[in-house]
Amino acid sequence: FACIVKCVRLYIGVTVEKYHLIVFSLAALECIALCFHWAFVERTELHFVALFLLVDEFLVICTFYGGLALKVLKHRGFLEWVYYPLAIVIFFYFVGVLAYALIDLSPFAQECTRPQWLIFSVSQFVLAQLFLIAGFLLTGAMNAVSNIDVKYLASKKTTLWSLIIVFQISSVINFIYDIVLQLYPKDGECDTIFGPPDTAGFVIVTWSQLLICYLLPVWVMLYVLHPSTRAAVIHMGPMSRSMHMDISTSEDESYSSDPQSEPLTRTYSRPPSSWSEREQYY
């Protein structure tokens, strides 16, 4: 419900960060799929759909912050011609894996040993590591800042590393969980790997994995991702290049640089209304 409310607020124009809208739309669909799976119909297809949506959330966040890191490194050509197209290819790869998982259904007792679970968890783990690398690059850029409010910069670091930490926890636990299931004897039943379904061990392991891997990232994103109220401009290097952290700005806000360097002065009378208009603020 919180994800749906967040999406409505974003859609009516509370914020201009479009990746927020995409992420919370995916998270809302994920929660709906999980609710139907847990409360109404215990179907493997719904579990696969929820996992697909979770991995897509990782992909969107990783693509956004990875793009910022490439802008910091001044690799805009690589960003536009390689990085973004590659992200689209990866998305369609996930679509293909989901389609294969929905078509090639196994008996329920053996469904946990299917390779699609491991494919998604490995992809999730790799995306989390790429996000970690982007986080180090962005943190280094932010540490070089000398002309931005310290508290605001600290809040951006908190948001960034909160997402990185929860993504690492979720991806590592999901990866280990799927490895254990894959190594289990093929003639065993999924429901008995961690003990009979009515035992405390089974309930603790299963529900802990579901809550940490699927819902914890959503809760953290709901907590740390909020509409921006001001712009961030990061002053870096001899060319005085700037990086806009949240693709947003507040009204009548301006920043200026040394007149001997590349101008950074910008006065904003309104939030940028389109993607092409926001791109000029990087």
Side-chain angles (χ1 to χ4, degrees):
F1 178 76
C3 290
I4 296 175
V5 172
K6 177 79 77 170
C7 288
V8 171
R9 294 184 64 234
L10 295 174
Y11 185 76
I12 63 178
V14 174
T15 180
V16 295
E17 295 101 329
K18 297 303 181 185
Y19 84 99
H20 282 194
L21 180 59
I22 297 173
V23 167
F24 287 117
S25 297
L26 293 171
L29 293 174
E30 176 200 340
C31 292
I32 292 173
L34 289 176
C35 286
F36 274 95
H37 175 62
W38 292 338
F40 301 104
V41 286
E42 191 174 350
R43 299 286 299 183
T44 304
E45 296 93 325
L46 288 175
H47 200 163
F48 269 122
V49 169
L51 180 57
F52 166 76
L53 294 169
L54 174 66
V55 176
D56 283 340
E57 293 162 31
F58 275 56
L59 178 62
V60 172
I61 293 290
C62 182
T63 300
F64 175 77
Y65 282 100
L68 288 182
L70 288 174
K71 286 186 171 73
V72 170
L73 298 175
K74 305 177 184 179
H75 294 321
R76 186 175 291 272
F78 179 84
L79 176 70
E80 295 176 351
W81 293 101
V82 178
Y83 185 76
Y84 287 148
L86 180 60
I88 295 174
V89 171
I90 293 174
F91 169 75
F92 283 107
Y93 169 72
F94 291 157
V95 172
V97 174
L98 175 64
Y100 176 57
L102 297 180
I103 294 172
D104 181 34
L105 293 176
S106 301
F108 185 77
Q110 297 290 325
E111 56 88 16
C112 64
T113 61
R114 297 172 63 191
Q116 291 89 339
W117 297 110
L118 192 58
I119 291 174
F120 276 130
S121 62
V122 169
S123 301
Q124 183 182 359
F125 180 78
V126 171
L127 288 173
Q129 306 320 305
L130 294 176
F131 188 19
L132 178 64
I133 295 173
F136 280 119
L137 293 173
L138 292 173
T139 301
M142 287 188 283
N143 289 337
V145 170
S146 59
N147 61 341
I148 297 181
D149 181 71
V150 175
K151 291 183 178 179
Y152 178 71
L153 205 57
S155 71
K156 295 293 114 178
K157 291 181 183 179
T158 300
T159 297
L160 174 64
W161 284 98
S162 295
L163 293 173
I164 290 175
I165 291 172
V166 74
F167 278 21
Q168 289 291 326
I169 294 173
S170 174
S171 64
V172 169
I173 292 179
N174 210 23
F175 178 67
I176 294 175
Y177 183 83
D178 286 335
I179 286 290
V180 171
L181 296 181
Q182 291 293 322
L183 294 178
Y184 197 78
K186 300 301 181 181
D187 56 349
E189 293 187 359
C190 296
D191 287 345
T192 62
I193 292 178
F194 300 106
D198 57 348
T199 61
F202 176 87
V203 173
I204 292 174
V205 172
T206 303
W207 281 95
S208 295
Q209 186 266 341
L210 290 173
L211 292 175
I212 294 174
C213 295
Y214 289 86
L215 296 183
L216 183 60
V218 176
W219 294 336
V220 172
M221 288 188 294
L222 283 170
Y223 183 76
V224 302
L225 292 180
H226 300 289
S228 299
T229 57
R230 58 175 297 179
V233 179
I234 296 183
H235 183 252
M236 302 177 299
M239 296 301 293
S240 302
R241 296 297 298 271
S242 62
M243 180 182 72
H244 187 245
M245 290 298 297
D246 276 331
I247 326 176
S248 62
T249 182
S250 60
E251 295 185 358
D252 301 320
E253 183 169 15
S254 64
Y255 297 91
S256 62
S257 66
D258 186 340
Q260 299 300 320
S261 62
E262 183 180 346
L264 287 180
T265 302
R266 291 192 178 103
T267 301
Y268 309 139
S269 58
R270 59 179 177 81
S273 57
S274 65
W275 177 260
S276 59
E277 188 177 353
R278 290 195 300 273
E279 276 289 294
Q280 65 180 312
Y281 297 138
Y282 279 101

